[in-house]
Amino acid sequence: LEALLFGIYPSLARETAAFSIGQYEAGPDGALPSLLRSRGFATSYLGAMDLRFENYQRALEASGMDRIERVTGDRTLTWGVPARTVFTRAERVLAEGSAQDRRQLVVVWTTECHRPYDSAASAGTTGSDRDRYRACQATLADALRELIADLSSTGALRDTLVIAFGDHGQLFPEDRGDAPVYGQNVHERALRVPLLMWLPEGL
């Protein structure tokens, strides 16, 4: 999150930059939300998890984000609500902005594919973390597919750039021995980050 908002990368000395954002000269000037707002964009963060995690609330406030919202719903998982719930909220925010003819940056933060991987698809899945993770990936892919289909059906994809990416790769016990899962190592599987883009027509 701190890399996306400020171009700041985590360091071993400071834990994550978001957690210790007060130790950086990080403020709205130069942060992505503020730069876009100066060009007429409304900026929103819609997340599934508790904003106290890793000090995300303070980091988001420091970036100058207009709207900071923890999305809630009827069904909850270990790390908040399912991705589809967050995507549905994002669709509403996009529609509201479109009705007001406003350009927008909407950051949607899902956390479904984190251990214990308790997505809708993995609820009945037994076995290894890898099996449950793959079930979570399938659920997230389905939710993303539905989001893109919805945006396409309303015509929103004509002028919307959608970028979907992971915040890190994934290792499992059999891959790493005693090494941390991610963040403090350079295993290839921890460094590979999925990235998908849907470009507006004519771009």
Side-chain angles (χ1 to χ4, degrees), residues 102-140:
R102 291 207 65 180
R103 294 184 292 176
Q104 299 180 84
L105 166 70
V106 181
V107 177
V108 181
W109 203 265
T110 70
T111 48
E112 205 160 335
C113 287
H114 269 268
R115 194 174 185 185
Y117 317 121
D118 57 346
S119 70
S122 65
T125 304
T126 59
S128 68
D129 278 356
R130 188 185 302 272
D131 291 338
R132 294 175 62 80
Y133 179 71
R134 285 178 174 161
C136 281
Q137 283 185 310
T139 299
L140 185 54

Side-chain angles (χ1 to χ4, degrees), residues 33-48:
S34 294
L35 288 171
L36 289 175
R37 192 171 61 245
S38 71
R39 290 162 174 78
F41 281 73
T43 60
S44 301
Y45 169 93
L46 309 172

